[in-house]
Amino acid sequence: MTNENYVSKTVASLPPSGIRKFFDLAANMEGVVSLGVGEPDFVTSWSVREAAIHSLEEGRTSYTANAGLLELRTEIAGYMEQAFNVSYQPEHQILVTVGASEGIDLALRSIINPGEEVLVVSPCFVSYAPLVTMAGGVPKIIHTTGENQFKLTPAELEEAITPNTKAMIICSPNNPTGTQLNKEELIKIAEIIKKNDLLVIADEIYAELAYDETFTSFASVGDMINRTILINGFSKSFAMTGWRLGFVCAPREILEAMLKLHQYTMMCAPTMAQYGALEALKHGWDDVEDMRTSYRQRRNYIVKSFNEIGLTCHNPGGAFYAFPSIAKTGLSSQKFAEKLLLEERVAVVPGDVFGESGEGYIRCSYASSLVQLQEAVKRIARFMKNYQ
């Protein structure tokens, strides 16, 4: 018997992350311009770093409350009220997590019974479907299309619901497409959710990176606050990916269930990171605005450039991803990404790693400097001349 035989069948059945494959390949090559990384190219603001350092100097190195520092949860509640007009009790409805990823995992494991279905709007973040499976649920994919800018329609949602459906995961602005749903679109979706007595796990990690329309939180739509497990965090908006700090806002009963799992697995989020996050929420908003302005400029550049060189690309409303079509080349997403990397040293992520609906597309992160983006566009334009 080999050690592989000890691995659980559930884990063994999961595919490895398709993103990691290309990162590993690019890491061993010289001169690569990467549009693959899904994290800000900015360094966390100095005031945030200083706050974390100061907490260490003060000897604040022990556990915090399982749910996180009450002062931080109170600040999060104030932020949610002011920014999105939704009210949460910091003592009972907010949980500080180890990144937004832990929040999604806890949400699923807290609500799913074996065999229950969770709707996953695709293309989507690579973790959603595997996390549903690991929670004992059944991911049911809703395929959206490029012709509709990958927006979920009420008809697509209605058709996917079965008697076994428990919840839906949705991300807006979306990773990998950058698509943002506006308030009117969310209202129509919410009506179907309520009619069918479902829950929503709303991944709003990119809420602060909306460029054209005011961001609307799913929890703020009608009375959806009572059906929404809201996931957010500090990684994208405050350039704090390595700090691994997220938060969840949810109805009290669900939040308490999530807290049980959090207690048994993580105990609490890192203490110094929580003090950094507290500083970010209190004084970090000018930096957020500066980063948002820069991303908007980069988005405008790369989307315009892609369309000029034959990669049809819709204008993404948020996040920091462009999702152009490569259909004209006749190559699959995997083959396009592989050839582009080998021939021009540009790393992108094949669209199909985000689900079957992403085939025929590539994800390009524009969380890189304009100089890097200009070099990437120059190389991709040269590449495209051989494949049109």
Side-chain angles (χ1 to χ4, degrees):
M1 177 179 285
T2 68
N3 287 338
E4 286 183 353
N5 293 328
Y6 292 101
V7 175
S8 89
K9 292 178 181 176
T10 299
V11 175
S13 70
L14 299 175
S17 168
I19 295 179
R20 183 55 54 191
K21 172 186 171 183
F22 276 85
F23 281 177
D24 292 344
L25 190 57
N28 294 317
M29 298 173 67
E30 293 185 356
V32 172
V33 178
S34 178
L35 304 183
V37 181
E39 66 175 327
D41 61 325
F42 297 96
V43 176
T44 306
S45 300
W46 171 242
S47 68
V48 175
R49 287 180 276 159
E50 194 172 37
I53 293 168
H54 184 64
S55 75
L56 293 172
E57 290 174 335
E58 291 285 306
R60 297 168 182 165
T61 55
S62 55
Y63 297 130
T64 67
N66 294 134
L69 291 166
L70 180 57
E71 187 180 3
L72 176 57
R73 284 179 280 147
T74 301
E75 200 68 32
I76 290 169
Y79 161 64
M80 295 303 298
E81 178 84 47
Q82 183 175 6
F84 309 121
N85 196 31
V86 286
S87 297
Y88 291 100
Q89 299 171 346
E91 297 87 353
H92 307 298
Q93 294 183 297
I94 296 176
L95 171 64
V96 179
T97 57
V98 182
S101 296
E102 192 212 353
I104 299 166
D105 182 35
L106 294 179
L108 289 164
R109 287 196 287 147
S110 298
I111 64 172
I112 298 304
N113 296 305
E116 290 179 331
E117 294 175 353
V118 177
L119 305 177
V120 178
V121 183
S122 176
C124 63
F125 181 47
V126 294
S127 294
Y128 293 162
L131 287 175
V132 172
T133 302
M134 286 191 279
V138 178
K140 185 164 184 180
I141 308 300
I142 303 177
H143 296 287
T144 58
T145 65
E147 290 72 23
N148 194 32
Q149 299 187 9
F150 298 102
K151 290 190 173 186
L152 173 67
T153 67
E156 290 167 338
L157 174 58
E158 191 100 55
E159 186 179 354
I161 295 171
T162 77
N164 291 327
T165 305
K166 182 71 166 285
M168 174 181 73
I169 306 178
I170 191 165
C171 178
S172 172
N174 178 273
N175 174 11
T177 66
T179 295
Q180 180 183 345
L181 297 173
N182 61 35
K183 186 173 182 178
E184 289 70 30
E185 290 161 340
L186 291 176
I187 288 172
K188 292 177 182 175
I189 291 170
E191 288 172 354
I192 297 170
I193 293 294
K194 286 187 285 188
K195 186 177 77 174
N196 290 277
D197 195 21
L198 305 180
L199 294 172
V200 169
I201 299 172
D203 183 350
E204 301 185 353
I205 190 71
Y206 296 100
E208 291 297 332
L209 300 181
Y211 307 119
D212 303 322
E213 294 187 80
T214 301
F215 172 80
T216 299
S217 173
F218 214 117
S220 72
V221 176
D223 55 357
M224 279 302 295
I225 192 169
N226 296 317
R227 293 183 176 275
T228 301
I229 304 174
L230 190 151
I231 311 291
N232 206 326
F234 298 85
S235 296
K236 314 298 184 181
S237 52
F238 292 101
M240 294 174 63
T241 49
W243 299 65
R244 307 312 305 132
L245 207 69
F247 62 88
V248 178
C249 303
R252 180 170 179 170
E253 297 80 4
I254 294 174
L255 200 286
E256 288 177 349
M258 295 175 71
L259 180 58
K260 280 186 194 174
L261 295 172
H262 180 73
Q263 288 170 335
Y264 289 131
T265 53
M266 293 295 177
M267 187 71 78
C268 68
T271 301
M272 60 291 293
Q274 293 190 55
Y275 280 104
L278 189 57
E279 167 64 20
L281 284 175
K282 286 183 175 179
H283 304 118
W285 294 104
D286 287 344
D287 294 314
V288 173
E289 181 57 37
D290 289 345
M291 287 187 277
R292 184 165 45 230
T293 299
S294 180
Y295 290 139
R296 182 188 291 114
Q297 181 186 14
R298 300 175 195 187
R299 178 204 62 169
N300 293 345
Y301 167 75
I302 200 165
V303 170
K304 180 174 181 287
S305 299
F306 279 162
N307 281 302
E308 287 175 349
I309 63 179
L311 292 171
T312 304
C313 185
H314 76 274
N315 197 38
F320 38 56
Y321 308 108
F323 204 61
S325 169
I326 57 164
K328 287 183 179 177
T329 67
L331 298 172
S332 68
S333 296
Q334 291 282 334
K335 187 59 72 177
F336 183 98
E338 184 180 328
K339 283 181 172 290
L340 182 62
L341 181 60
L342 295 176
E343 295 176 19
E344 292 291 348
R345 298 288 200 268
V346 178
V348 299
V349 182
D352 67 324
V353 309
F354 304 100
E356 188 181 326
S357 326
E359 177 54 54
Y361 296 83
I362 53 172
R363 190 192 76 172
C364 301
S365 167
Y366 49 85
S368 297
S369 70
L370 263 180
V371 172
Q372 288 280 294
L373 295 179
Q374 288 163 351
E375 178 63 26
V377 166
K378 185 175 79 174
R379 297 185 189 189
I380 295 173
R382 191 165 59 206
F383 177 82
M384 286 295 292
K385 289 180 181 176
N386 297 322
Y387 293 97
Q388 290 192 86

